[in-house]
């Protein structure tokens, strides 16, 4: 049950990351991201914090960090695949090492 729950949660998180962040910002493209953030701040009537966002959260000068942010779901998926593989190997080894029926 836990595997199914974690898989569903992972899929929903990846879908949200894609639909709510990557697509609206054109894969975190700096000008599109800044426009999206400003529009959200305008909607929330919070534009007085625009300059603070520009100095603290703008990734325009950090192309490498933007790349890692976009690539992070791939690392998460690779980690899950590795865990599933190692768990399957462990279970098969434990099944083989049981010994004859009735043995401790």
């Amino acid at each position: 049950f836990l595997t199914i729950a974690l898989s569903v949660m992972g899929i929903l998180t990846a879908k949200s990351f894609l639909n709510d962040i990557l697509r609206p910002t054109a894969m975190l493209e700096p000008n599109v991201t800044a426009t999206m953030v400003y529009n959200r701040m305008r909607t929330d009537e919070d534009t007085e914090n625009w300059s603070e966002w520009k100095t603290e959260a703008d990734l325009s000068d950090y192309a490498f960090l933007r790349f890692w942010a976009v690539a992070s779901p791939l690392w998460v998926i690779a980690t899950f695949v590795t865990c599933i593989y190692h768990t399957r190997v462990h279970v098969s080894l434990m099944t083989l090492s049981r010994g004859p029926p009735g043995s401790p």
Side-chain angles (χ1 to χ4, degrees):
F1 176 74
L2 186 59
T3 303
I4 294 170
L6 288 174
S7 298
V8 169
M9 192 168 76
I11 290 169
L12 292 175
T13 301
K15 184 178 176 184
S16 174
F17 183 64
L18 181 66
N19 292 334
D20 298 337
I21 297 172
L22 293 182
R23 283 188 181 148
T25 63
M27 302 296 273
L28 297 177
E29 196 278 317
N31 294 331
V32 178
T33 301
T35 302
M36 187 193 96
V37 169
Y38 185 78
N39 288 338
R40 177 63 58 103
M41 287 180 158
R42 201 172 60 205
T43 301
D44 294 342
E45 298 177 1
D46 188 28
T47 54
E48 65 269 4
N49 290 322
W50 172 249
S51 61
E52 183 179 351
W53 179 87
K54 287 290 284 181
T55 58
E56 293 181 4
D58 187 22
L59 297 179
S60 297
D61 299 330
Y62 302 100
F64 189 70
L65 183 58
R66 284 190 356 252
F67 167 77
W68 278 108
V70 171
S72 64
L74 300 176
W75 294 106
V76 171
I77 291 168
T79 301
F80 275 112
V81 169
T82 303
C83 290
I84 290 168
Y85 170 75
H86 285 266
T87 301
R88 288 183 60 114
V89 168
H90 175 75
V91 168
S92 66
L93 289 174
M94 291 290 94
T95 303
L96 292 174
S97 68
R98 271 193 182 157
S103 64

